[in-house]
């Protein structure tokens, strides 16, 4: 008779359930806060950042704080993903209380400097924002999406050309894949 009280790595079943519950909460939070907006006005990336900040912040003060955090991150190192036509607008900040994964479809020609020191058109802004002291499992969950942006070229195409519904459906599929992987890793199934 086989009755495992602990997994091979010594983590008890109840503890593993709590870990999976946290991953589940992170997936739900990302899906509930997902957004896709079309930006037909911005001419520079700072305007895209300002529009995202005004969309997500709950007050004028928090809007300024969020815009500052995103601009500061942009200045630290280029957030343009060379050869893919998108910029990754991401930060951790106290300006938000929840995680956000969103998409800005940029309709005007905005250019950034690629890793090859060449001008590259930016057609898409991928937004990943999390509270400053977010849980590591939550950060691992949202980071999986950024990994898939590079590994699954059709993901970027759907985000760039798709409707909000189609884009959210694809985000949901990718997060389900992540959750199933973590469940198999944690539960051994």
């Amino acid at each position: 008779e086989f009755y495992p009280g602990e997994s091979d790595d010594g983590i008890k079943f109840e503890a593993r359930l709590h870990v999976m519950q946290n991953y589940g909460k992170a997936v739900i939070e990302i899906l509930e806060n997902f957004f896709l907006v079309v930006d037909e006005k911005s001419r520079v990336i700072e305007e895209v950042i300002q529009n995202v900040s005004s969309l997500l912040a709950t007050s004028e003060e928090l809007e300024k704080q969020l815009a500052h955090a995103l601009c500061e991150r942009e200045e630290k190192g280029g957030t343009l993903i060379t050869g893919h036509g998108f910029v990754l607008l991401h930060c951790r900040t106290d300006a938000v209380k929840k995680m956000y994964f969103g998409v800005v479809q940029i309709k005007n020609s905005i250019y950034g400097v690629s890793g090859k020191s060449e001008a590259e058109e930016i057609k898409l802004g991928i937004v990943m924002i999390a509270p400053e002291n977010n849980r590591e499992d939550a950060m691992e969950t949202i980071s999986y999406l950024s990994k898939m942006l590079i590994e699954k070229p059709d993901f970027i195409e759907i985000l760039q050309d798709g409707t909000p519904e189609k884009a959210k459906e694809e985000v949901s599929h990718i997060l389900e894949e992540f959750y199933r992987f973590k469940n198999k890793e944690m539960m051994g199934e």
Side-chain angles (χ1 to χ4, degrees):
E1 186 177 331
F2 178 70
Y3 185 78
E6 296 184 359
S7 70
D8 290 340
D9 59 2
I11 300 174
K12 291 190 183 298
F13 176 66
E14 185 177 356
R16 290 179 295 171
L17 282 176
H18 283 292
V19 169
M20 289 311 301
Q21 185 177 35
N22 284 337
Y23 282 118
K25 285 178 185 175
V27 167
I28 289 168
E29 187 173 325
I30 292 166
L31 290 173
E32 286 179 344
N33 295 317
F34 175 78
F35 65 91
L36 184 148
V37 294
V38 177
D39 185 336
E40 296 179 344
K41 295 181 180 175
S42 295
R43 300 253 177 232
V44 292
I45 205 66
E46 291 77 14
E47 290 175 358
V48 175
I49 288 172
Q50 188 54 54
N51 293 338
V52 166
S53 299
S54 66
L55 176 70
L56 301 180
T58 55
S59 72
E60 198 172 311
E61 181 184 330
L62 292 175
E63 180 182 330
K64 288 178 185 171
Q65 190 179 340
L66 179 54
H68 176 75
L70 285 168
C71 283
E72 200 173 63
R73 180 64 188 89
E74 175 76 10
E75 290 167 10
K76 276 184 186 174
T79 56
L80 172 66
I81 308 303
T82 301
H84 294 278
F86 73 89
V87 64
L88 187 59
L89 302 174
H90 64 294
C91 68
R92 280 182 164 187
T93 175
D94 288 327
V96 296
K97 301 284 182 243
K98 302 174 187 172
M99 281 193 301
Y100 292 92
F101 180 84
V103 179
V104 181
Q105 294 175 339
I106 301 169
K107 297 303 176 186
N108 286 326
S109 293
I110 294 179
Y111 289 88
V113 178
S114 74
K116 300 174 184 174
S117 299
E118 299 169 355
E120 184 171 332
E121 187 173 7
I122 301 168
K123 297 179 181 293
L124 201 60
I126 304 294
V127 181
M128 296 172 55
I129 301 171
E132 184 69 47
N133 296 314
N134 214 17
R135 297 180 329 270
E136 284 310 310
D137 49 65
M139 296 309 297
E140 182 184 357
T141 306
I142 200 167
S143 294
Y144 185 78
L145 287 168
S146 66
K147 180 180 168 191
M148 290 301 105
L149 291 169
I150 303 301
E151 291 185 15
K152 292 187 172 195
D154 56 325
F155 184 28
I156 284 290
E157 287 175 28
I158 291 168
L159 297 179
Q160 188 170 307
D161 303 325
T163 63
E165 296 77 21
K166 185 73 178 155
K168 184 173 183 177
E169 183 180 310
E170 188 62 20
V171 168
S172 181
H173 288 312
I174 288 172
L175 290 172
E176 181 180 359
E177 177 184 288
F178 171 77
Y179 186 83
R180 287 178 185 273
F181 170 77
K182 294 310 287 186
N183 191 55
K184 185 175 182 178
E185 181 182 80
M186 191 60 56
M187 300 301 200
E189 315 227 341

